[in-house]
Amino acid sequence: MALKMVKGSIDRMFDKNLQDLVRGIRNHKEDEAKYISQCIDEIKQELKQDNIAVKANAVCKLTYVSALLRRNATTPFVLFLLSSTNFGYLAASQCFHEGTDVIMLTTNQIRKDLSSPNQYDTGVALTGLSCFVTPDLARDLANDIMTLMSHTKPYIRKKAVLIMYKVFLKYPESLRPAFPRLKEKLEDPDPGVQSAAVNVICELARRNPKNYLSLAPLFFKLMTSSTNNWVLIKIIKLFGALTPLEPRLGKKLIEPLTNLIHSASIQVQKQYSISIFGKVLFCFSLTVKYLGLLAMSKILKTHPKSVQSHKDLILQCLDDKDESIRLRALDLLYGMVSKKNLMEIVKKLMIHVDKAEGTTYRDELLTKIIDICSQSNYQYITNFEWYISILVELTRLEGTRHGHLIAAQMLDVAIRVKAIRKFAVSQMAMLLDNAHLIASNTQRNGICEVLYAAAWICGEFSEHLEELNQTLEAMLKPKVTTLPGHIQAVYVQNMVKLYASILQQKEQAGEKEAAQEITQLMIDRLPQFVQSADLEVQERASCILQLIKYIQKLQTKEVPVAEEVIALFAGELNPVAPKAQKKVPVPEGLDLDAWINEPPSDSESEDEKPKTIFHDEEQRHSKHRPPEIDEEELARRREARKQEQANNPFYIKSSPSPQKRYQDTPGVEHIPVVQIDLSVPLKVPGMPMSDQYVKLEEERRHKQKLEKDKKKKKQKKEKKGKHRRHNSLHTESEEDIAPAHHVDIITEEMPENALPSDEDDKDPNDPYKALDVDLDKPLADSEKLPVQRHRNAENLKSPDTEAPLVEKKSKKPKKKEKKHKEREKEKKKEREKKVAEEEKPAIVHCRQLLKLLWFLCSQTYDIQGNLQHDSQVTVSVIFENKSTSFLKSMELNVLDSLNTKMLRPEGSSVHDGIPVPFQLPPGVSSEAQFVFTLQSIVMAQKLKGTLSFIVKNDEGSTHEKLDFKLHFSCASYLITTPCYSDAFARLLESGDLHMSSIKVDGISISFQHLLAKICFYHHFSVVERVDSCASMYSRSIQGHHVCLLVKKGENSVSVDGKCNDSTLLSNLLDEMKETLSKC
Amino acid sequence: SEDTQQQIIRETFHLVSKRDENVCNFLEGGLLIGGSDNKLIYRHYATLYFVFCVDSSESELGILDLIQVFVETLDKCFENVCELDLIFHVDKVHNILAEMVMGGMVLETNMNEIVTQIDAQNKLEKSEAGLAGAPARAVSAVKNMNLPEIPRNINIGDISIKVPNLPSFK
């Protein structure tokens, strides 16, 4: 043996280690791939060796290579090595992710490591687990981690506390049971643990602050006492989230916070506070500048005034060469605009847009401009003409991705601001005329989206258009066919609208030839769209072509057609709020799923037709009618549509909410549209006009002011009431600015009785939502963490069933007379009942966890004699006090059998119990371990035991006893041991194994799942798996080899086992049969 | 997810490496790093960038200090750390980082505590390897002797000159 070891290590001397590998890769720059594949071959060889150190080295290298290549070759190997080395976990954190199916096989190994006596093994397992925890792992291991939270070593405690956050995220049910202990840890003597607990709670509270308000006093104490800056920062952030919910907190906080700021030791706080005053903003390095801006954006939310005074400084920041600072400054601008300074700010931004290098920043500027202008329903825009011209100017941006944003704004403004339509239409017509400028450059394809808006606006509001013919011709240019399909489709649709308007104009003027000319033009040009590759364009074009041909026929017969054609597009389209459809409440008694008519009904009653109106919001650009409709039908539909509009909640023109209107004039039509002073040349393409508007606006304001002053004087003289202003909320200075023309912003329509809830804004997949639970409610029974009790064959559950054990227990019939034969758990339950009657509730929740001193075995796993000598098992018991009384002086005693004996301290007799080294206040649980020695392990064992304890409450104290049974199954004597297929084959060939087999029918779960179960409950490891056949291996603590061949048939599973000891084997198989028959 | 991982690393490198020397240490607006809530915080030491991606629950200066602690810890553990140390001892660097940051959350900011734990683990590892490991270590030492050209790129003196303003953050 010794010789073998020496030989192994000599071999190892010449193996590559990680450094050699890295060096090698760096030296083989040219043929890197070849070198690496060579190394992988070597690694494969090394992995097959027995020496654990060699394997560790191999995994270490493999991890490096896979990190380099992203080739996921590691996963299967890592499994075996998780326990043996740190690298195993490093590799696991590299290559495991939620979808890795082998993860379910690791649960047992991780649990073993978690309870390892070596704190670093536990630590490494926790660190690894934090990277690849899955919902399954979280559920299975939550309880183990809970236990570790009260480990004696602070090193473990802090890691366990921190990982709980990950567990909560994956398994939200664990939050409530674990929370009391987490709270305890806030007052842990070790600063590391304390900071970890603060960290976790802050992270939780950030998402759902209201649940953590009750912790405020505790944090308050911490804040005044702690000296750890990390903790302080976290707590201050936490209070930042809590104060909005509890105003009183703010006042309380002022004092300690000022103390903190004044104490020179905390530089960070100081820098924050300094930058608040904005003065130092430019003295320090850029880093401080950045932080200053950050701080300002926070203050902005509460005290916008104080920040607005620094407007110039912030605008200067836009010139900064550092992009991060520019972006921050932009953010600030958003909150700073008012009616007064909007134009100025946007003008500055426009200058930056021209100067900006790099499309990302320019795009950011563009979106910011639009955001700023459109915020809170265009609250700050006084002159929409100016805004439209800004939008038109933005279309000249090169290579922006946000063409659709501009287009959306154009559409929105044109639809919602009626007064601006005329101007908008003229601008859009100009855009269409210059479409070649926009569409010519293929790089600018983002911007050609605006043509979509332009075409639609020109078509829909064609009554405002002056040069109808010119626009129509612009739209019929051959160049248009190079545009993207959806834009062409809108073009086709809207040229018919234009055509209809022209037709009407001409007919009214009696110019029949002109009308026929225009029809001919359409017929000549439309075929180019009919040939389009885009289906939508093709379909619309051919429909419309037919319609126009029909019109031409009528025209030659000198029938006036304009009215009918116009009627195609009668009616106004209103903006509908995006969520309107969802918010229509279902009227009582209406079953949406019921058939309105019987299914085979072929009736196409008129009532059903207008249903399409529901889709109008999306399809309004595509509404086109079949080309040939007789007049009657048309009229009837029109009637139906009107009817529908009258009844449909979407089409009831709700009176716009008062705060969104600038004047209380009753109807839209009565709005006096101020004559636009067209001193600005509208039709010069490529000329920025917004500047002119700024000037005009200034003049206008000046005039207005003068007028107002006059008025005021007059008013004073006449002692009339104050000038009525609607916006009483605005400040004096803002009040002076009246909008350029009275603007009516049509509010988006919502169903009348829609609920104003924001609930649908929340993302249902938000992982933090699940953590939004009330933490102050007392724990219910069903919320206990699932405890894996894998020794107890009766309680076996498949890893994926979540049935809490309480339910499980209650299902079982209880018979009091059979008390002693009942399992321990039922006993507890029964006890609970009994005690409840006696009003002295004292329940000990007992969990047994047999833990083998596996490290002893793995150290000397060749030497059997040694093992025989040391064959011990440890039973961990969690005592949980579920009563309201205090439990103390607990003693656990077990009636030893010949075979199994509890290890008692020297000098004590067989009848002495072992004192449990702690006392239990109500609601607390704690774990104690007991060691048992075993003679033979071939048989399952049951031991009877008693727990005696003293219950202390207000009325005094009483002595209580609790009987239980410990069940040592054969599987609990097995240790998961990896084995390689060649070694496995040799073992089978050796022939000194006894054989036995079982067969279980009616198995429905997947084979993978089945194997996982066997691995989990019976401590086997998979050696090899081929299709639905797998060989598995395990070892007992006394060195018995156990080999299994598991085959899955149609509905059955057969297990052939081989083992040194036939009794052990048959017992094991019996246990397995029980497990499997429950699947 | 591995592809996105690589993409994130590439994008981060792309963003950070083209920034000037004397701009601020914060970077926002990466497309891949998870939206507006997240930002990159980095420090530049000689040829190396240490980049942390954090969300709004972390204090910016706190993270800057954490990077400093990390670099100083590396310096202590490797005795005058250099770029090649990080290349050849990925596993150790990873281990040190794991002592500071766990599953995306800051675990420990006290440098002495970290160094103590790392030392203890190294000692344990050596004693575990014991006799069997000795010859391999000897060979490895010999191999390393052939590499006199390892340049020592970073020295901690440089670091302390560059950021004298930041207070220590223990």
Side-chain angles (χ1 to χ4, degrees):
Chain A
M1 179 60 219
L3 195 70
K4 198 177 161 194
M5 266 175 68
V6 171
K7 187 172 168 286
S9 58
I10 287 174
D11 285 346
R12 241 188 94 192
M13 269 166 52
F14 301 105
D15 284 346
K16 283 197 187 83
N17 59 13
L18 179 64
Q19 281 90 303
D20 298 331
L21 177 79
V22 178
R23 200 174 291 143
I25 291 175
R26 284 164 69 91
N27 286 340
H28 288 74
K29 284 257 154 62
E30 295 84 33
D31 51 347
E32 202 178 86
K34 197 179 146 204
Y35 181 76
I36 288 175
S37 66
Q38 193 186 330
C39 285
I40 289 177
D41 286 342
E42 279 172 28
I43 292 167
K44 277 183 190 158
Q45 287 301 318
E46 283 169 27
L47 280 172
K48 283 181 189 152
Q49 288 183 35
D50 283 338
N51 190 327
I52 201 83
V54 177
K55 275 189 224 163
N57 186 29
V59 170
C60 185
K61 287 193 283 181
L62 201 54
T63 313
Y64 183 82
V65 173
S66 76
L68 208 64
L69 293 182
R70 312 308 313 161
R71 210 183 297 149
N72 210 341
T74 2
T75 325
F77 304 116
V78 170
L79 212 55
F80 299 120
L81 284 153
L82 270 184
S83 67
S84 50
T85 81
N86 295 357
F87 307 128
Y89 277 100
L90 171 55
S93 54
Q94 265 291 346
C95 63
F96 283 7
H97 49 87
E98 205 140 320
T100 316
D101 45 3
V102 289
I103 261 189
M104 60 199 291
L105 303 178
T106 58
T107 317
N108 230 19
Q109 187 63 57
I110 294 171
R111 174 169 300 146
K112 222 180 239 175
D113 285 344
L114 287 183
S115 46
S116 154
N118 180 343
Q119 59 166 332
Y120 293 111
D121 281 349
T122 315
V124 161
L126 282 174
T127 312
L129 190 60
S130 72
C131 294
F132 57 80
V133 63
T134 63
D136 281 340
L137 278 181
R139 193 190 56 237
D140 293 343
L141 294 174
N143 208 50
D144 299 69
I145 298 171
M146 279 268 279
T147 319
L148 287 179
M149 276 166 79
S150 39
H151 198 273
T152 48
K153 297 253 169 52
Y155 179 75
I156 301 299
R157 277 209 304 272
K158 75 182 175 198
K159 287 197 167 190
V161 168
L162 210 54
I163 202 178
M164 277 319 272
Y165 178 65
K166 293 274 165 180
V167 174
F168 294 153
L169 276 187
K170 296 289 177 194
Y171 180 53
E173 289 85 344
S174 62
L175 178 57
R176 281 173 37 74
F179 194 68
R181 193 168 287 188
L182 193 60
K183 217 159 106 182
E184 245 166 62
K185 294 297 153 216
L186 282 177
E187 290 167 307
D188 198 280
D190 184 84
V193 182
Q194 208 180 36
S195 98
V198 170
N199 219 335
V200 170
I201 292 187
C202 288
E203 207 52 53
L204 289 170
R206 197 159 66 96
R207 313 292 177 174
N208 305 301
K210 66 175 187 306
N211 298 331
Y212 299 86
L213 268 179
S214 62
L215 288 180
L218 192 60
F219 277 114
F220 195 74
K221 209 175 84 196
L222 270 180
M223 184 166 81
T224 43
S225 62
S226 173
T227 50
N228 184 334
N229 282 357
W230 264 99
V231 174
L232 279 178
I233 289 177
K234 284 283 170 194
I235 294 177
I236 291 171
K237 289 228 172 206
L238 176 73
F239 275 127
L242 291 184
T243 11
L245 298 168
E246 179 60 65
R248 279 175 300 165
L249 211 57
K251 280 182 200 156
K252 274 195 164 184
L253 281 175
I254 292 174
E255 200 205 320
L257 273 181
T258 28
N259 281 344
L260 282 179
I261 291 169
H262 285 301
S263 74
S265 65
I266 304 169
Q267 293 278 331
V268 187
Q269 298 300 333
K270 216 175 173 187
Q271 282 177 352
Y272 264 115
S273 64
I274 288 170
S275 55
I276 283 169
F277 303 107
K279 292 171 189 165
V280 206
L281 209 55
F282 297 95
C283 310
F284 281 136
S285 72
L286 290 166
T287 302
V288 178
K289 200 163 162 183
Y290 177 87
L291 291 171
L293 288 169
L294 205 62
M296 277 195 165
S297 68
K298 276 169 193 155
I299 304 165
L300 185 72
K301 282 169 202 151
T302 46
H303 302 90
K305 278 252 175 89
S306 57
V307 178
Q308 273 170 11
S309 57
H310 298 296
K311 193 185 74 192
D312 291 337
L313 287 181
I314 293 165
L315 282 173
Q316 272 179 42
C317 285
L318 284 179
D319 295 322
D320 204 288
K321 63 183 170 197
D322 188 345
E323 198 172 309
S324 295
I325 288 183
R326 288 194 304 237
L327 288 176
R328 273 274 141 244
L330 267 182
D331 260 5
L332 270 177
L333 281 180
Y334 179 80
M336 283 173 37
V337 288
S338 63
K339 282 191 183 181
K340 207 176 175 185
N341 60 17
L342 175 76
M343 283 192 175
E344 188 192 340
I345 288 178
V346 173
K347 187 182 155 191
K348 291 231 168 85
L349 289 181
M350 290 298 284
I351 295 171
H352 281 289
V353 171
D354 288 337
K355 281 197 298 193
E357 291 158 20
T359 46
T360 5
Y361 179 56
R362 202 161 40 195
D363 282 353
E364 186 64 29
L365 272 172
L366 194 152
T367 41
K368 264 286 141 20
I369 290 176
I370 290 179
D371 275 357
I372 287 174
C373 293
S374 63
Q375 68 175 309
S376 36
N377 213 5
Y378 307 102
Q379 188 190 344
Y380 298 115
I381 295 184
T382 50
N383 187 337
F384 276 94
E385 284 175 27
W386 164 81
Y387 185 45
I388 293 273
S389 45
I390 285 284
L391 288 176
V392 173
E393 260 173 57
L394 285 177
T395 63
R396 283 190 266 283
L397 266 186
E398 268 173 64
T400 178
R401 283 181 294 116
H402 293 297
H404 58 97
L405 257 184
I406 303 176
Q409 283 292 305
M410 286 174 170
L411 286 171
D412 202 37
V413 171
I415 295 168
R416 292 172 60 182
V417 187
K418 286 200 168 183
I420 201 67
R421 282 182 191 166
K422 192 174 167 63
F423 178 75
V425 166
S426 67
Q427 290 289 302
M428 293 304 126
M430 199 178 78
L431 265 186
L432 285 179
D433 284 346
N434 298 313
H436 57 277
L437 285 178
I438 292 168
S440 62
N441 196 338
T442 43
Q443 271 187 335
R444 289 167 150 197
N445 49 9
I447 205 70
C448 63
E449 290 288 331
V450 295
L451 291 178
Y452 177 98
W456 191 83
I457 291 172
C458 283
E460 186 64 24
F461 306 117
S462 52
E463 68 267 22
H464 299 294
L465 205 56
E466 278 162 15
E467 303 269 353
L468 281 165
N469 279 11
Q470 195 187 336
T471 310
L472 183 63
E473 268 176 56
M475 284 170 88
L476 283 168
K477 275 180 196 158
K479 194 102 200 188
V480 172
T481 50
T482 57
L483 289 173
H486 64 285
I487 297 177
Q488 280 187 58
V490 171
Y491 261 71
V492 171
Q493 191 68 26
N494 284 288
M495 57 181 76
V496 192
K497 292 182 194 168
L498 278 180
Y499 167 74
S501 304
I502 296 173
L503 215 58
Q504 195 186 25
Q505 240 178 39
K506 300 290 180 203
E507 275 189 15
Q508 274 165 4
E511 303 168 30
K512 279 183 189 149
E513 283 80 38
Q516 283 177 9
E517 246 169 56
I518 203 82
T519 312
Q520 191 54 47
L521 179 76
M522 288 291 277
I523 290 175
D524 289 344
R525 297 285 183 83
L526 269 175
Q528 64 183 343
F529 294 105
V530 176
Q531 290 157 9
S532 168
D534 192 284
L535 276 181
E536 182 82 15
V537 180
Q538 205 184 61
E539 189 187 5
R540 290 185 190 197
S542 48
C543 281
I544 285 163
L545 190 60
Q546 288 309 312
L547 174 71
I548 289 177
K549 277 181 182 162
Y550 181 70
I551 292 171
Q552 198 182 25
K553 242 187 250 172
L554 291 179
Q555 273 181 335
T556 49
K557 289 178 196 160
E558 310 238 322
V559 185
V561 286
E563 282 305 315
E564 271 89 48
V565 181
I566 278 284
L568 277 176
F569 306 106
E572 186 150 341
L573 299 169
N574 279 351
V576 177
K579 286 175 205 146
Q581 177 73 71
K582 248 195 280 174
K583 301 230 168 176
V584 183
V586 179
E588 239 173 276
L590 173 65
D591 182 6
L592 286 178
D593 296 327
W595 288 104
I596 294 172
N597 295 314
E598 283 311 300
S601 152
D602 51 353
S603 74
E604 288 221 356
S605 68
E606 278 86 348
D607 296 345
E608 277 180 39
K609 283 236 170 87
K611 256 168 141 184
T612 51
I613 272 158
F614 279 103
H615 307 294
D616 257 5
E617 163 66 4
E618 277 84 33
Q619 294 185 350
R620 59 179 179 214
H621 310 306
S622 60
K623 49 157 190 163
H624 70 263
R625 300 269 174 261
E628 278 145 312
I629 313 161
D630 61 83
E631 283 168 286
E632 244 181 72
E633 171 79 3
L634 214 61
R636 207 173 49 206
R637 281 192 196 173
R638 203 158 51 227
E639 199 51 47
R641 189 164 159 185
K642 266 183 201 160
Q643 198 77 41
E644 184 66 23
Q645 283 181 9
N647 297 332
N648 194 311
F650 288 94
Y651 280 89
I652 292 172
K653 289 197 177 173
S654 57
S655 56
S657 48
Q659 72 269 19
K660 281 171 186 152
R661 307 182 76 197
Y662 294 104
Q663 193 145 14
D664 295 333
T665 44
V668 178
E669 280 75 22
H670 306 290
I671 300 171
V673 177
V674 169
Q675 271 299 312
I676 301 162
D677 185 3
L678 288 181
S679 54
V680 187
L682 280 179
K683 296 217 169 175
V684 184
M687 155 102 188
M689 296 169 301
S690 54
D691 294 355
Q692 314 261 5
Y693 278 100
V694 176
K695 262 186 217 155
L696 276 178
E697 179 74 9
E698 270 160 18
E699 278 167 27
R700 192 180 63 84
R701 276 183 197 174
H702 188 67
K703 243 191 265 169
Q704 229 168 28
K705 210 177 168 189
L706 288 178
E707 270 171 34
K708 206 159 209 176
D709 286 349
K710 267 189 219 160
K711 255 189 203 166
K712 266 187 190 165
K713 278 176 200 162
K714 256 190 210 165
Q715 277 171 352
K716 268 184 195 168
K717 271 183 204 164
E718 295 167 10
K719 293 200 174 172
K720 264 194 174 178
K722 255 192 166 180
H723 180 67
R724 184 174 55 87
R725 290 287 314 176
H726 170 66
N727 288 338
S728 55
L729 279 176
H730 287 293
T731 54
E732 269 271 303
S733 58
E734 275 183 29
E735 222 177 327
D736 287 336
I737 306 161
H741 30 241
H742 301 288
V743 177
D744 167 54
I745 297 185
I746 302 168
T747 48
E748 289 172 328
E749 293 190 349
M750 287 289 259
E752 284 153 338
N753 37 359
L755 308 162
S757 70
D758 290 323
E759 255 167 38
D760 39 11
D761 293 341
K762 282 190 185 165
D763 179 8
N765 296 326
D766 184 7
Y768 303 106
K769 212 174 163 190
L771 289 179
D772 190 2
V773 287
D774 184 3
L775 294 163
D776 299 329
K777 263 197 311 197
L779 278 179
D781 249 9
S782 56
E783 281 182 311
K784 257 191 300 176
L785 286 179
V787 178
Q788 296 289 338
R789 291 139 303 132
H790 44 263
R791 298 321 132 180
N792 303 338
E794 283 99 315
N795 271 341
L796 287 180
K797 322 181 271 189
S798 68
D800 59 344
T801 51
E802 230 174 282
L805 67 113
V806 183
E807 275 175 38
K808 193 116 189 175
K809 277 188 277 171
S810 53
K811 272 183 210 156
K812 295 197 174 169
K814 271 179 212 84
K815 287 171 192 162
K816 284 203 175 175
E817 56 276 11
K818 278 168 78 184
K819 199 171 175 179
H820 290 285
K821 286 180 186 170
E822 295 265 344
R823 291 196 35 72
E824 173 194 47
K825 298 295 176 223
E826 273 98 348
K827 200 148 268 172
K828 297 282 143 56
K829 183 81 181 179
E830 203 173 84
R831 184 83 197 167
E832 195 168 3
K833 273 191 179 168
K834 221 169 133 190
V835 172
E837 285 160 18
E838 293 164 14
E839 300 214 328
K840 278 176 219 152
I843 306 304
V844 181
H845 169 63
C846 169
R847 180 191 70 143
Q848 54 167 348
L849 194 150
L850 305 178
K851 195 192 67 181
L852 301 162
L853 300 176
W854 61 272
F855 56 94
L856 278 178
C857 315
S858 63
Q859 292 274 2
T860 54
Y861 65 99
D862 293 326
I863 309 150
Q864 295 210 354
N866 233 354
L867 254 175
Q868 207 103 35
H869 188 70
D870 275 338
S871 51
Q872 295 182 333
V873 289
T874 308
V875 180
S876 303
V877 186
I878 289 187
F879 297 90
E880 184 181 359
N881 184 354
K882 301 177 79 179
S883 69
T884 52
S885 319
F886 195 86
L887 301 185
K888 59 179 199 175
S889 313
M890 288 186 282
E891 259 190 29
L892 185 121
N893 198 9
V894 173
L895 210 56
D896 290 351
S897 69
L898 277 178
N899 188 26
T900 313
K901 293 186 169 63
M902 184 153 79
L903 204 66
R904 295 179 168 81
E906 260 178 62
S908 49
S909 85
V910 197
H911 305 292
D912 290 343
I914 292 188
V916 180
F918 45 78
Q919 303 183 328
L920 286 177
V924 172
S925 64
S926 198
E927 182 174 317
Q929 297 191 334
F930 305 93
V931 182
F932 289 80
T933 54
L934 305 152
Q935 290 291 319
S936 152
I937 58 159
V938 296
M939 300 265 273
Q941 300 274 335
K942 274 184 189 171
L943 292 186
K944 279 186 196 169
T946 325
L947 180 75
S948 60
F949 51 93
I950 294 174
V951 184
K952 199 179 160 192
N953 52 19
D954 299 341
E955 293 136 37
S957 45
T958 43
H959 205 86
E960 290 279 340
K961 250 172 63 180
L962 193 66
D963 294 328
F964 61 87
K965 266 185 199 171
L966 277 175
H967 183 93
F968 295 85
S969 69
C970 281
S972 61
Y973 305 130
L974 296 183
I975 326 156
T976 317
T977 319
C979 181
Y980 292 103
S981 46
D982 44 354
F984 189 78
R986 250 180 283 140
L987 195 64
L988 290 178
E989 281 162 15
S990 65
D992 44 5
L993 301 179
H994 303 271
M995 170 150 176
S996 175
S997 57
I998 53 162
K999 190 172 180 185
V1000 186
D1001 292 319
I1003 304 268
S1004 51
I1005 59 168
S1006 75
F1007 192 56
Q1008 175 81 10
H1009 207 145
L1010 188 97
L1011 290 184
K1013 272 193 175 179
I1014 296 178
C1015 289
F1016 185 76
Y1017 292 119
H1018 299 278
H1019 305 197
F1020 278 88
S1021 61
V1022 179
V1023 178
E1024 209 167 16
R1025 185 188 155 181
V1026 182
D1027 298 329
S1028 58
C1029 183
S1031 46
M1032 307 179 91
Y1033 176 79
S1034 185
R1035 258 168 85 90
S1036 77
I1037 51 168
Q1038 296 184 347
H1040 301 107
H1041 300 283
V1042 190
C1043 307
L1044 293 184
L1045 181 66
V1046 186
K1047 282 187 214 153
K1048 181 157 164 49
E1050 189 78 349
N1051 262 325
S1052 65
V1053 170
S1054 68
V1055 182
D1056 298 315
K1058 279 193 171 182
C1059 177
N1060 308 60
D1061 190 299
S1062 56
T1063 333
L1064 177 63
L1065 182 62
S1066 65
N1067 282 327
L1068 274 173
L1069 289 179
D1070 284 347
E1071 284 171 16
M1072 206 168 291
K1073 196 167 182 174
E1074 204 163 346
T1075 316
L1076 293 178
S1077 59
K1078 286 189 178 163
C1079 295
Chain B
S1 68
E2 276 171 10
D3 281 343
T4 39
Q5 245 177 30
Q6 287 293 297
Q7 245 177 315
I8 289 170
I9 292 174
R10 256 197 307 272
E11 184 188 291
T12 309
F13 175 76
H14 184 70
L15 283 174
V16 169
S17 62
K18 71 177 180 200
R19 285 171 65 84
D20 280 346
E21 185 59 24
N22 50 357
V23 295
C24 74
N25 302 61
F26 312 102
L27 192 61
E28 287 172 75
L31 291 174
L32 282 168
I33 54 171
S36 53
D37 197 33
N38 295 1
K39 62 181 78 161
L40 296 176
I41 296 177
Y42 72 96
R43 283 183 94 155
H44 188 183
Y45 295 107
T47 54
L48 290 177
Y49 287 92
F50 290 82
V51 187
F52 279 48
C53 177
V54 299
D55 62 11
S56 60
S57 72
E58 303 293 342
S59 151
E60 288 80 9
L61 281 181
I63 295 296
L64 277 184
D65 195 72
L66 188 73
I67 300 178
Q68 175 77 13
V69 171
F70 182 44
V71 175
E72 280 179 34
T73 312
L74 286 177
D75 191 57
K76 279 199 178 168
C77 292
F78 284 109
E79 287 156 12
N80 235 343
V81 69
C82 77
E83 190 187 336
L84 287 184
D85 282 332
L86 306 190
I87 293 174
F88 283 115
H89 300 278
V90 193
D91 48 337
K92 283 187 185 144
V93 175
H94 210 285
N95 208 12
I96 292 168
L97 189 61
E99 289 296 325
M100 298 177 62
V101 179
M102 191 178 109
M105 290 202 285
V106 178
L107 179 68
E108 182 62 68
T109 50
N110 185 339
M111 188 174 11
N112 294 333
E113 175 72 22
I114 301 167
V115 174
T116 319
Q117 302 293 1
I118 293 284
D119 283 348
Q121 286 182 46
N122 287 343
K123 222 177 269 174
L124 196 74
E125 201 183 325
K126 269 185 194 156
S127 71
E128 259 177 13
L131 195 71
R137 277 203 299 278
V139 170
S140 154
V142 171
K143 283 181 195 160
N144 276 328
M145 271 165 57
N146 301 333
L147 285 173
E149 74 274 18
I150 293 181
R152 298 257 147 194
N153 273 346
I154 310 176
N155 56 17
I156 207 76
D158 185 32
I159 294 168
S160 49
I161 291 167
K162 271 175 66 186
V163 272
N165 295 341
L166 277 169
S168 183
F169 213 71
K170 267 147 232 155

